[in-house]
Amino acid sequence: MRKFGIALTLAALLLSSCGRVSVSFDDPALKVDALKESSLEVSSRKVGVTATQVEAGFSLKGKWDLRPYSKLRFTVRNDNPDDFLNLYFFLENEETDTDSRPSQGILEDRFKVAPGECATLEVLLPCDMPHPEVNRLLTLMKGTPYGEFRHIQYGVDLSDVREIRFFSRKQYPVSHWSVEDLVLLPGERPVPDYMQLDSAAFFPMIDRYGQFKYREWPGKTHCDEDLLKARSEEEKDLAAHPGPEGWNKYGGWADGPRYEATGHFRVEKIDGKWWMIDPEGCLYWSHGIIRVNASSAVTPLHGEKLASRDYMFEYLPSEGDSLYRFRFTNDQLLIPYYERWKEDSTFDFSSANIYRKYGPDYKSVWSDLAHRRLRSWGLNTIANSSDIDICRQDRTPFIDRFDIRSVPIAGADGPYFPIMDPFDPSFRAAVEARLKEHKRDVEDPYLLGYFVDNEIKWGDETHAAKCVANAPDSQAAKKAMRAFLQQRYGRPVEPAEASEKDLLDFNRLIIEEYYKVIRESFDRYAPGVLYMGCRFASFVCSNPDVVTIGAKYCDVISHNQYRYTIDSYRLPEGLDKPVMIGEWHLGSCDRGLFHPSLQMGDNQQERAYFYKEYALSALKHPQIIGIHWHQYMDQATTGRFDGENFQVGFLDCCDTPYPETVDACRSVGYNLYQTRYNE
């Protein structure tokens, strides 16, 4: 092993009998032994699986000066034969043992390792910032231009590194992986040209179309003429690709076998595979896209605790300008999230660009184009959170989502959606009110069904019950818990005294009541309409009871699954139910945005490759009845209300399609039913 100061092999710090640190979800008590080598110290860290952040890995802690080095190289082995490994790497200036980590002083990177692969990977260490004041002005952005390719952040101080972490999040099935041969490599850390600009020269960094000024890429818009040229070129492409043959008006398989037609979408298992059946009785598999909406690239400018960010932008319209109308948020989904900002405090770059491209009648032109695009691309579903006016044109089937907002269970909240108290009378009233609001759509044959709620923080097998036990006495669920304990023991028992089995059983009662109330409301106010579940997210739900109990009441299980393929997805053992993948996507940073999304490709070609891989793996899965990509257009370069600025669209913020992704989508969609039926 070479000496520290030339190249440092950290593997020696992780020695086990085989010279490797192995990480397994089967071993939640994994430890890295405390060893020393030269000036490095590594202390123990226990790795476990928690309800809120389902992950496992290891952490090296010490105090290191990594300025002489340009890269950290290591070898990763993915021992899972069926699933990609998503490996997260963190280098941090502070030692922490909590989920709450500072946003500055961190270098983050992500890697994907194919099933069964042993890969040598490299982390690029960032350069020193000539102008750190610029970095401090890049607010409300999950990815910034002071990062390269994936998540590398320039805010980390390499002279004082205190922690190095590797971890992965649990997927289906259990993941097994290992890391070995960590080596620091010396070398220059070059400074990008735009980072050599001080704040006066660097800002504004966003052009009039919402794009980053200091990079070029294929398809970038430089003037209004480019928008018009892109419109003309796309019309030629749509004419050359009118859509798959053999589809009926719903996008069902007109050339395939016929089944009972009920006038609504329904589900049925046929020859060992689950399908949707469209209103005409044709087989239907939902190949869809979320947020078909012009207002995808809305970004906050100022308001509440957010200081003005006007300095970022080359152009913002003033009152009297034809584009001033886009200084306000019109998107019905996002309006509640922007209520804390004042009027005139956002700008909708995507809608402004669409206005420039299609003129004053842009809404009707763009709405018509949305339907033609989806059919041309081989898609047959407008998925949830889309413009309802586009959905209601009786041209493309749509699925929608509504959330129940009543009384939450105290303490059962967090960064994701809280658990509402299903024992509180306001819960049933809220469900019924939402269904009544959607009466027009409930009767629409183009409606696939409804998701109710999204990514609820269900936690582990006793999470909700523990929250109830600690809730105020006024909580309806706590009164129900007291009644449950009274019946079980024949005497009053305080919730704080409940046993682990009591908590487990009452947790199941909470879940049961939640689904039962919603099912009863559907049966009364939306008979025949599919109840599509609550869109599980694995990282906030590690309780199989939520799925198995939900399956008794839901017509379809919905799961948001951000992965590279869906081959190894499994419901709990013994459960056979149709599954809708409510969200998935991947992106890259080669077209001007700074964040690749929750899954990443190295470039647009790799993004397209994994589109096909994921979609084909879903078509081959007997329980999956559809997949919905998140989302139609890219997010704003400078971030939305929560800072997300992901490259996730089929279209960029200038309404220009990504041809690689469109081609991949067509290659799947034009053979959708043949692939599903014949597999």
Side-chain angles (χ1 to χ4, degrees), residues 168-235:
S168 68
R169 290 195 169 96
K170 185 178 180 181
Q171 299 280 6
Y172 292 89
V174 169
S175 298
H176 300 270
W177 53 274
S178 59
V179 173
E180 59 185 341
D181 298 333
L182 281 79
V183 179
L184 281 163
L185 302 175
E188 294 281 328
R189 292 179 284 116
V191 181
D193 290 344
Y194 61 80
M195 282 186 62
Q196 299 178 37
L197 303 174
D198 63 18
S199 58
F202 182 79
F203 295 108
M205 69 172 195
I206 301 297
D207 68 18
R208 63 190 293 107
Y209 302 103
Q211 306 166 118
F212 186 50
K213 287 170 51 176
Y214 300 111
R215 287 181 186 161
E216 289 295 319
W217 58 86
K220 185 175 184 179
T221 296
H222 299 90
C223 58
D224 287 2
E225 287 73 20
D226 285 349
L227 293 173
L228 301 179
K229 181 180 178 182
R231 177 181 180 180
S232 175
E233 291 298 318
E234 186 181 5
E235 283 296 338

Side-chain angles (χ1 to χ4, degrees), residues 133 152 177 179-180 201 203 229 236 265 295 396 415 504 506 537 549 557 565 623 666:
E133 74 281 1
I152 296 175
W177 53 274
V179 173
E180 59 185 341
F203 295 108
K229 181 180 178 182
K236 296 175 185 176
F265 283 89
S295 297
T396 306
L504 179 64
F506 187 71
I549 295 172
I557 296 295
T565 74
Q623 292 175 313
R666 282 175 175 151

Side-chain angles (χ1 to χ4, degrees), residues 276-443:
M276 299 187 81
I277 309 296
D278 76 15
E280 294 182 341
C282 295
L283 293 174
Y284 184 91
W285 200 86
S286 184
H287 191 205
I289 194 162
I290 295 169
R291 280 193 55 69
V292 179
N293 192 306
S295 297
S296 292
V298 180
T299 194
L301 306 177
H302 54 261
E304 201 189 33
K305 297 180 181 179
L306 180 67
S308 174
R309 301 199 302 164
D310 290 6
Y311 55 83
M312 289 188 180
F313 307 100
E314 183 178 88
Y315 163 81
L316 292 172
S318 302
E319 196 164 359
D321 190 312
S322 62
L323 297 178
Y324 185 71
R325 71 190 73 188
F326 304 116
R327 290 287 296 257
F328 302 85
T329 303
N330 299 309
D331 180 4
Q332 292 302 307
L333 175 71
L334 295 183
I335 282 175
Y337 297 98
Y338 287 106
E339 285 178 344
R340 64 183 185 271
W341 279 288
K342 301 174 183 177
E343 290 186 352
D344 190 28
S345 64
T346 62
F347 189 60
D348 185 345
F349 277 104
S350 49
S351 291
N353 290 330
I354 290 168
Y355 180 89
R356 289 174 171 127
K357 191 173 182 179
Y358 302 106
D361 194 28
Y362 74 98
K363 285 187 178 180
S364 62
V365 174
W366 196 78
S367 295
D368 170 72
L369 181 58
H371 292 284
R372 291 195 291 127
R373 277 171 167 165
L374 265 60
R375 181 61 69 111
S376 172
W377 297 345
L379 295 162
N380 60 7
T381 305
I382 298 176
N384 57 277
S385 309
S386 294
D387 185 331
I388 195 61
D389 291 334
I390 296 177
C391 296
R392 289 173 174 169
Q393 294 181 4
D394 292 344
R395 295 176 63 183
T396 306
F398 67 99
I399 189 168
D400 211 347
R401 159 193 152 197
F402 60 83
D403 300 333
I404 307 305
R405 291 292 172 260
S406 55
V407 177
I409 293 174
D413 52 7
Y416 294 90
F417 295 91
I419 305 171
M420 296 297 159
D421 187 343
F423 296 99
D424 194 292
S426 65
F427 181 78
R428 183 182 295 272
V431 179
E432 293 178 352
R434 296 309 304 273
L435 285 171
K436 290 175 185 176
E437 289 172 11
H438 290 80
K439 185 178 188 303
R440 181 262 180 231
D441 299 323
V442 161
E443 298 171 352

Side-chain angles (χ1 to χ4, degrees), residues 22-27 49 54-57 77-87 113 167-178 563 568:
S22 294
V23 178
S24 169
F25 284 101
D26 291 341
D27 183 12
V49 178
V54 187
E55 63 181 48
R77 185 183 303 276
N78 179 11
D79 293 323
N80 189 333
D82 302 314
D83 225 8
F84 274 82
L85 167 68
N86 274 324
L87 182 66
V113 184
F167 73 88
S168 68
R169 290 195 169 96
K170 185 178 180 181
Q171 299 280 6
Y172 292 89
V174 169
S175 298
H176 300 270
W177 53 274
S178 59
R563 303 164 69 181
S568 58

